[in-house]
Amino acid sequence: MPLNKLPKALQLYYSVDLIRSPELSNDEKLSLVKQFGKGVKEWNPPKTDRVKAFAVDMILYQLNEAKSLKVNTFINLHERAIKWLIRECQEVLKTEPTLLELEAPIKVTGDFHGQYYDMLRLFEISGGAPPINKFLLVGDFVDRGKQSIETMCLLMAYKVKFPKMIFMLRGNHECISITRLYGFYDECKRRYSISLWREYCGMFNHLPVAAIIDERIFCMHGGLSPDLIHLS
């Protein structure tokens, strides 16, 4: 649907697939925006696959809006939206093995440590975020930086929307004990709640720990245990 055919309230979200779709009326689209758009006061989990896809797109829209904002500006998603996204991402991660077997071309990076705007810049200079490029991220997404929540939300949203174009490995900071000491716990407590931190830690338990690219490049966050003899 052309941009000029949409009400002004929808034109803001023109990059979202369902907003451009001619299959829904403008009234239906406005209803969805009221449920899942920026700044909603009540956020209820979507029930159909189509609405789920729309909810993820709206989360991505808000997170990518940071590209036009001053560096270090917080993107405050609704807490219920974040918890829903964590659970959706966890379901995707449950389908993956502990050792991923991946194929090139793929870009390998990681250690964002809550530096959200640096991560956005990295995706940009890499040629584009998923699905433009495929990524393997080798852990330590949280702690130390001030925006671990945004960092994880963007990665989780990409994982839910493009599960075969982004892969995340567990680093030593993706656990209860380390995040309790190095900032992520405090960030969740200050900005949202301790229960949100617990949800994140539960999801971290499902992250793969290593990957092999083209059967010859072995990737992981930390070192190799002397007890590791076989990849199987």
Side-chain angles (χ1 to χ4, degrees):
M1 179 177 289
L3 179 63
N4 59 8
K5 297 292 185 181
L6 292 172
K8 288 186 178 180
L10 294 177
Q11 291 180 10
L12 179 67
Y13 304 107
Y14 191 68
S15 60
V16 177
D17 292 340
L18 201 57
I19 296 297
R20 299 194 306 273
S21 172
E23 297 178 12
L24 293 182
S25 69
N26 285 340
D27 286 342
E28 289 174 309
K29 294 173 185 177
L30 285 168
S31 177
L32 287 172
V33 168
K34 288 179 180 178
Q35 294 176 65
F36 304 107
K38 181 179 178 181
V40 297
K41 294 182 179 179
E42 294 292 330
W43 199 100
N44 295 309
K47 296 181 180 179
T48 68
D49 289 341
R50 191 177 198 181
V51 180
K52 284 181 180 180
F54 179 78
V56 173
D57 282 344
M58 292 302 286
I59 290 171
L60 282 170
Y61 172 86
Q62 294 175 70
L63 290 167
N64 279 302
E65 196 177 28
K67 295 174 184 177
S68 61
L69 301 176
K70 184 179 179 180
V71 172
N72 297 328
T73 300
F74 290 109
I75 307 298
N76 294 309
L77 299 172
H78 198 289
E79 182 170 358
R80 293 186 69 180
I82 300 175
K83 288 182 175 180
W84 172 79
L85 184 62
I86 290 171
R87 293 163 191 159
E88 290 294 306
C89 182
Q90 182 170 298
E91 290 305 307
V92 176
L93 294 173
K94 284 180 179 179
T95 68
E96 295 183 342
T98 302
L99 175 64
L100 300 172
E101 296 183 45
L102 307 175
E103 295 180 355
I106 186 169
K107 298 180 185 292
V108 182
T109 183
D111 283 81
F112 299 129
H113 278 299
Q115 300 288 347
Y116 182 60
Y117 285 82
D118 288 349
M119 183 178 71
L120 290 176
R121 177 63 177 153
L122 185 141
F123 281 140
E124 181 183 339
I125 64 177
S126 297
I132 298 172
N133 290 291
K134 184 165 65 173
F135 287 87
L136 171 63
L137 310 175
V138 294
D140 278 14
F141 311 117
V142 301
D143 285 334
R144 296 199 173 110
K146 295 181 179 180
Q147 292 180 276
S148 294
I149 292 172
E150 287 94 334
T151 299
M152 279 308 310
C153 282
L154 186 66
L155 297 180
M156 291 188 301
Y158 280 138
K159 186 62 181 176
V160 172
K161 187 172 177 64
F162 308 112
K164 298 301 181 183
M165 294 301 293
I166 184 167
F167 299 91
M168 297 181 286
L169 301 183
R170 190 174 190 175
N172 62 300
H173 279 260
E174 279 72 57
C175 70
I176 289 177
S177 58
I178 301 297
T179 55
R180 185 67 178 81
L181 297 174
Y182 286 90
F184 188 45
Y185 170 87
D186 293 323
E187 180 183 342
C188 290
K189 181 181 179 181
R190 182 180 68 254
R191 295 179 61 187
Y192 291 98
S193 66
I194 295 174
S195 67
L196 180 65
W197 169 74
R198 292 196 182 102
E199 293 265 4
Y200 271 115
C201 291
M203 183 270 293
F204 291 155
N205 290 333
H206 295 277
L207 287 168
V209 297
I212 299 175
I213 302 173
D214 285 349
E215 299 183 345
R216 62 190 182 91
I217 303 172
F218 186 61
C219 303
M220 63 189 304
H221 179 78
L224 294 174
S225 167
D227 297 324
L228 181 62
I229 300 173
H230 302 289
L231 292 177
S232 59

